[in-house]
Amino acid sequence: MVSVYNLITTCFALQKAANQVFLVSDDMDMSLSDLLTRLSNALGYRSRLVPVTKSLLIMGLSLLGKRAMAERLCGSLRVNIKKSKEVVRLEATRNGREGVKEDCAGEIARSCPEGGE
């Protein structure tokens, strides 16, 4: 994952980054089910996803007039970071799989009262 600190300090230091919008990613595509499974596991829960075939989901949501939503749910979470790589030269310091686990561990630590779990 890309460090927010690194992103901000790099963008402030570069004149060519002024007044521009950059999309940031660890350059690793991940499906929604993969993300939800990793989040639940990192938080210490068992994943409870109901298996539904892609074609059934698309057909059902299409009947409800929500085909675009079905396409977004079934596709990978992708961000085009070409501009960020070329202009800012920002690279991920950890991958998304590691980041989900570390971020959840940090969130759990912050949510627990001091001195106990």
Side-chain angles (χ1 to χ4, degrees), residues 1-67:
M1 295 181 103
V2 176
S3 163
V4 174
Y5 175 78
N6 288 345
L7 173 66
I8 292 171
T9 55
T10 302
C11 286
F12 275 126
L14 293 174
Q15 286 292 330
K16 60 186 173 184
N19 299 316
Q20 293 191 53
V21 175
F22 296 98
L23 300 177
V24 180
S25 163
D26 60 2
D27 210 12
M28 182 185 80
D29 296 339
M30 189 180 303
S31 70
L32 181 60
S33 62
D34 189 28
L35 175 62
L36 293 174
T37 299
R38 291 182 186 286
L39 280 171
S40 63
N41 291 340
L43 292 170
Y45 295 100
R46 190 170 55 96
S47 177
R48 293 190 178 104
L49 301 177
V50 178
V52 177
T53 64
K54 182 178 177 178
S55 58
L56 181 63
L57 181 63
I58 291 173
M59 184 178 70
L61 287 172
S62 294
L63 290 172
L64 297 172
K66 302 287 184 182
R67 183 174 177 86

Side-chain angles (χ1 to χ4, degrees), residues 66-110:
K66 302 287 184 182
R67 183 174 177 86
M69 180 188 291
E71 295 294 337
R72 287 192 308 268
L73 287 172
C74 293
S76 289
L77 304 173
R78 294 184 184 153
V79 176
N80 184 349
I81 60 169
K82 183 179 177 183
K83 177 181 171 184
S84 298
K85 284 183 164 185
E86 291 173 353
V87 177
V88 183
R89 298 186 189 274
L90 198 63
E91 294 292 328
T93 56
R94 58 186 177 156
N95 70 42
R97 290 179 173 89
E98 295 168 349
V100 168
K101 189 172 184 177
E102 290 172 13
D103 291 344
C104 286
E107 188 59 35
I108 290 170
R110 282 190 293 277

